[in-house]
Amino acid sequence: MTEPTLSTKPLLSVVVIGRNEGERLSRCLASVRGMRDPGGPVEIIYVDSASRDDSVARARAFGAKVVEVKPERPSAALGRNAGWREAKAPYLLFLDGDTVLHPDFVADSLPEFDDPRIAVVWGHRRELHPEHSLFNRALDLDWVYPPGPSDFCGGDALMRAEVVRSVGGFDASLIAGEEPEMCQRIRALGFIILHVDRPMTGHDLAMKTWASYWKRAFRAGYAYAEVSERLRSTEFPLWVADARRNLLRGGFLSLLLTVGASASAVVKSMLPLGLVMAVFLALALRSAWKARWKGGGFWTLLLYGIHSHLQQIPILAGQIACRIDRLRKRRRFLIEYK
């Protein structure tokens, strides 16, 4: 990797955001340092959101330019905005501090921008340690999307800096879903969000508890409600159908489980709850079969099928919380699951 000098303009600005990432941040910055030469100088910008650990010192040790933000209401969008506004390169690579960059992704993906219609390029993000927990194993398949033009990207992506500037960057009022929301504004300008079939980053979900799983899905539901409401009347009404579908699926599963548990308590038999579990398992098996294109063995796909339905309940809770907050005109703070 070539570093910019006072007389050279960087080709790429890598914007890493983090909050209390610790060793994960060091691993992320080391992977950036170890990337294959993209064909020009690279600057590294680390944006820290009020960490209480030594993340800032770690970033400086890697030679990164450090930007510290201490907002009343932290958000990933605010951190990313602070980063690209400091960037000097025509191309931006956004990374979360808990990811590891594949050494070839940038060098292999920059030529995609030879097509002037391409504004965003993103590849495959996968879990670094799917074997560490059942949660990691199931959620690893959540990152798998078919390659080609897509509706949105995730937090790790290559972008044209001029396009990011033209749409005003990320919406810092969102506590989640800021990348998909910005992508709709980019698409409205006629640009393409391109998902390429190559490894991009490894991610450290580090999820070991039901509480963390619930919070992550709750945050997704909050984002569904917030983003879909904002984009409902636009050219690209992202997540409107998904939010509506979750209201039906989450409501149905919640009611089914409640009725099964109540019936078992009344008749003092596990049969009603067992029948409910059988219905749930059948739904999970159906989803696992439909997701077989994502790869993974039978048990991984079964876990993914269970997750696909189980998450609907905390997603529904997140949607409801967002709507209650909107009615009460209350702003919720960052929802962290780690």
Side-chain angles (χ1 to χ4, degrees):
M1 187 186 82
T2 306
E3 294 187 38
T5 65
L6 291 176
S7 60
T8 61
K9 181 179 179 180
L11 170 69
L12 176 73
S13 296
V14 181
V15 176
V16 180
I17 62 168
R19 176 178 164 89
N20 300 318
E21 296 294 350
E23 184 58 37
R24 290 189 295 266
L25 177 63
S26 293
R27 186 172 55 192
C28 175
L29 295 173
S31 72
V32 173
R33 285 284 181 195
M35 79 165 80
R36 199 173 97 224
D37 189 347
V42 177
E43 68 170 350
I44 304 175
I45 301 167
Y46 170 63
V47 183
D48 186 85
S49 294
S51 289
R52 296 180 299 275
D53 65 2
D54 61 348
S55 291
V56 168
R58 287 173 181 267
R60 289 195 172 119
F62 275 93
K65 178 178 182 179
V66 174
V67 179
E68 296 184 69
V69 293
K70 298 181 180 179
E72 178 184 346
R73 186 175 183 261
S75 70
L78 192 149
R80 292 193 179 100
N81 284 341
W84 69 256
R85 286 175 179 138
E86 290 290 330
K88 298 179 176 63
Y91 299 105
L92 303 167
L93 173 64
F94 290 102
L95 294 175
D96 290 343
D98 59 357
T99 60
V100 174
L101 177 66
H102 190 280
D104 296 326
F105 174 72
V106 173
D108 288 344
S109 298
L110 280 175
E112 305 287 355
F113 292 109
D114 290 345
D115 183 342
R117 300 171 301 166
I118 305 298
V120 179
V121 180
W122 62 297
H124 299 304
R125 174 196 264 205
R126 299 302 295 266
E127 283 305 308
L128 291 168
H129 302 292
E131 75 283 358
H132 282 188
S133 73
L134 293 178
F135 299 109
N136 284 13
R137 188 173 174 184
L139 289 165
D140 179 46
L141 295 188
D142 256 357
W143 302 126
V144 181
Y145 289 84
S150 57
D151 290 344
F152 57 86
C153 68
D156 307 334
L158 267 172
M159 301 187 186
R160 290 186 192 271
E162 62 180 351
V163 175
V164 173
R165 293 190 188 96
S166 70
V167 297
F170 302 89
D171 188 335
S173 69
L174 296 172
I175 60 174
E178 67 280 353
E179 310 97 345
E181 189 278 334
M182 185 182 73
C183 283
Q184 307 322 298
R185 289 183 276 126
I186 290 174
R187 292 173 69 205
L189 295 179
F191 290 103
I192 294 172
I193 314 299
L194 181 64
H195 182 37
V196 291
D197 189 15
R198 63 179 65 104
M200 176 181 62
T201 50
H203 180 252
D204 189 5
L205 189 62
M207 183 173 289
K208 298 179 180 178
T209 67
W210 167 254
S212 294
Y213 178 83
W214 178 279
K215 286 179 183 178
R216 183 179 185 271
F218 180 94
R219 186 180 69 175
Y222 203 98
Y224 268 19
E226 200 166 24
V227 173
S228 64
E229 182 63 29
R230 189 163 303 188
L231 299 176
R232 185 178 301 278
S233 301
T234 67
E235 183 180 357
F236 301 106
L238 183 72
W239 289 347
V240 171
D242 301 82
R244 188 182 303 116
R245 189 158 45 245
N246 168 251
L247 291 174
L248 294 174
R249 293 174 67 188
F252 169 74
L253 289 172
S254 298
L255 179 62
L256 189 66
L257 290 171
T258 300
V259 169
S262 300
S264 284
V266 169
V267 302
K268 297 181 179 179
S269 168
M270 291 300 292
L271 181 59
L273 187 57
L275 290 173
V276 168
M277 292 295 102
V279 171
F280 183 86
L281 181 59
L283 291 171
L285 285 168
R286 178 173 176 269
S287 294
W289 174 255
K290 291 172 67 176
R292 65 191 185 281
W293 65 271
K294 290 175 178 275
F298 171 78
W299 292 111
T300 298
L301 284 169
L302 178 58
L303 281 172
Y304 180 75
I306 292 171
H307 152 68
S308 297
H309 293 279
L310 189 61
Q311 70 172 344
Q312 300 301 322
I313 296 174
I315 287 175
L316 174 62
Q319 283 215 69
I320 292 171
C322 181
R323 285 166 168 76
I324 291 174
D325 286 350
R326 191 180 300 128
L327 288 173
R328 294 180 176 177
K329 297 181 179 179
R330 181 176 61 188
R331 299 181 71 203
R332 189 174 291 259
F333 280 75
L334 186 67
I335 303 172
E336 296 181 289
Y337 63 88
K338 288 186 180 179

